[in-house]
Amino acid sequence: MKTYKYYFAAFNAFLIWGFFSLALKPLKDFSSLDILFYRVFLSSIVMLLINLIFRRNIVKKNALLFSNLKLEDKRRIVLLTLGGSFLLIANWFVFIYVVNHINVKAASLAYLICPILTTVFAFVILKEKLSKPQWIAVFISICSCFLLSLNHFQDIFFSLIVAASYALYLVSQRKNSEIDKFITLTIQLVFTALVILPFYPSYSNVIPTVPIFYICLVVIVLVFTIVPLFLNLYALKGLNSSTVGIIMYINPIINFLIAVFYYKEEVTITQLISYFLILISIIVFNEKLLFNRKYEVFLFKNNN
């Protein structure tokens, strides 16, 4: 019963992200770096204000908790938190670039591949279980990616970067559970802002003056950054990385439908076949859940 709230959090996070292109596409005339700069800076300021004004007691409590941890645990938390910042910034930049300068279908494909990569990374890094059908699903997904790369190498290349960066973020943050998730997210965003700040004077363009930029930016920060990221990190408190990865399928389904029916992007036969293969991989991957079957799982055993 208690796990329902974690499923609910994960579901809503990816449901929200599925509509991200609606807020991002109006900014296609602006540089991807500019969107990234302002998104990170504004998100950091909002998060800091929320913590300093409304969550001071929680911040103090977590600071005390961190100070009482063993040195090795402190190092692990710091490395996972700051490492997550670099993965987030890479994911955001490439995703913005893909949506505005490649196509929305490529962004959709990234989050179709991401659950498979999340499961593989979780298997290797976290020793989470992986069944025979799930390995078959991974193989089918690889075949679909290869098929797409034959005529759309650029799409698959950027899709894999987006997928891999976020899959690694999910897996890394699964082990980063001691500190309050909202505080963790704040630290990650502030650290990211500090890292990219020196690059702002050299790589940013003239400060935007059109209202649409700031309207979309506020929506992106509040609706498509802070809320879903917090829900996602919260879900990882009660669910393993593979389960969160499976729920992620909500995102690309909505994304692909928007690309085809709203933005009227062209779909080739090769792309349709590739997406169909990925759909098959999704069904195979979730066969245990869909048909209530039990399979032998493969995992690394601890001999100690």
Side-chain angles (χ1 to χ4, degrees):
M1 184 69 178
K2 292 181 179 179
T3 59
Y4 288 163
K5 59 183 180 181
Y6 300 115
Y7 279 102
F8 183 75
F11 177 86
N12 280 284
F14 295 113
L15 178 67
I16 292 170
W17 269 324
F19 295 93
F20 189 19
S21 62
L22 295 177
L24 197 55
K25 203 68 171 175
L27 302 181
K28 64 180 180 180
D29 293 329
F30 296 91
S31 163
S32 298
L33 269 178
D34 279 343
I35 299 171
L36 180 66
F37 283 138
Y38 290 105
R39 181 187 185 186
V40 172
F41 295 153
L42 185 56
S43 297
S44 302
I45 293 171
V46 172
M47 295 288 284
L48 277 174
L49 289 175
I50 291 174
N51 278 291
L52 294 175
I53 297 174
F54 301 107
R55 308 181 83 245
R56 280 180 293 181
N57 291 334
I58 298 175
V59 172
K60 291 178 181 178
K61 180 180 178 181
N62 278 265
L64 180 62
L65 173 65
F66 181 80
S67 65
N68 291 328
L69 291 174
K70 297 178 180 178
L71 182 59
E72 59 186 65
D73 290 329
K74 291 180 179 179
R75 288 176 179 172
R76 176 176 55 81
I77 291 172
V78 170
L79 287 174
L80 288 173
T81 301
L82 301 187
S85 300
F86 286 110
L87 290 171
L88 266 185
I89 200 67
N91 178 263
W92 287 4
F93 174 73
V94 180
F95 181 82
I96 291 170
Y97 180 82
V98 168
V99 170
N100 284 350
H101 302 286
I102 307 298
N103 55 62
V104 178
K105 293 194 302 294
S108 175
L109 175 63
Y111 288 102
L112 280 169
I113 300 171
C114 192
I116 302 296
L117 289 180
T118 301
T119 302
V120 174
F121 290 153
F123 173 74
V124 174
I125 300 172
L126 301 180
K127 312 300 186 288
E128 290 183 2
K129 300 177 181 180
L130 203 63
S131 66
K132 287 181 178 179
Q134 288 173 329
W135 276 118
I136 294 173
V138 170
F139 177 75
I140 295 173
S141 182
I142 292 172
C143 290
S144 68
C145 293
F146 175 76
L147 184 60
L148 268 179
S149 68
L150 295 177
N151 296 311
H152 302 276
F153 177 77
Q154 187 182 42
D155 286 17
I156 193 64
F157 175 75
F158 284 105
S159 294
L160 283 171
I161 295 177
V162 174
S165 58
Y166 197 72
L168 286 171
Y169 176 76
L170 280 180
V171 171
S172 67
Q173 298 313 296
R174 177 74 177 104
K175 296 178 71 71
N176 191 14
S177 57
E178 287 88 349
I179 304 300
D180 176 80
K181 292 299 184 181
F182 199 87
I183 294 175
T184 299
L185 181 57
T186 303
I187 294 171
Q188 289 177 334
L189 290 174
V190 171
F191 178 74
T192 300
L194 293 175
V195 168
I196 67 174
L197 183 60
F199 299 96
Y200 176 76
S202 300
Y203 293 95
S204 64
N205 293 301
V206 178
I207 297 176
T209 56
V210 293
I212 187 63
F213 180 85
Y214 296 100
I215 293 172
C216 289
L217 189 68
V218 169
V219 173
I220 287 171
V221 167
L222 296 179
V223 180
F224 295 107
T225 301
I226 294 175
V227 172
L229 272 178
F230 173 69
L231 289 173
N232 200 4
L233 289 177
Y234 179 78
L236 287 170
K237 290 178 63 177
L239 304 175
N240 60 38
S241 303
S242 301
T243 302
V244 175
I246 292 170
I247 299 173
M248 194 187 302
Y249 288 128
I250 298 165
N251 183 341
I253 290 171
I254 297 173
N255 223 343
F256 183 75
L257 292 174
I258 291 174
V260 174
F261 294 106
Y262 184 77
Y263 292 116
K264 309 297 181 182
E265 292 185 0
E266 182 182 354
V267 181
T268 65
I269 296 298
T270 303
Q271 288 174 324
L272 284 174
I273 294 173
S274 300
Y275 275 95
F276 180 70
L277 285 175
I278 291 177
L279 178 61
I280 292 175
S281 74
I282 293 171
I283 295 172
V284 174
F285 188 89
N286 294 288
E287 186 180 12
K288 180 179 178 181
L289 179 64
L290 294 173
F291 302 104
N292 197 26
R293 295 177 181 176
K294 294 182 179 180
Y295 297 95
E296 179 183 359
V297 296
F298 294 83
L299 66 158
F300 295 109
K301 294 183 179 179
N302 190 343
N303 296 321
N304 294 329

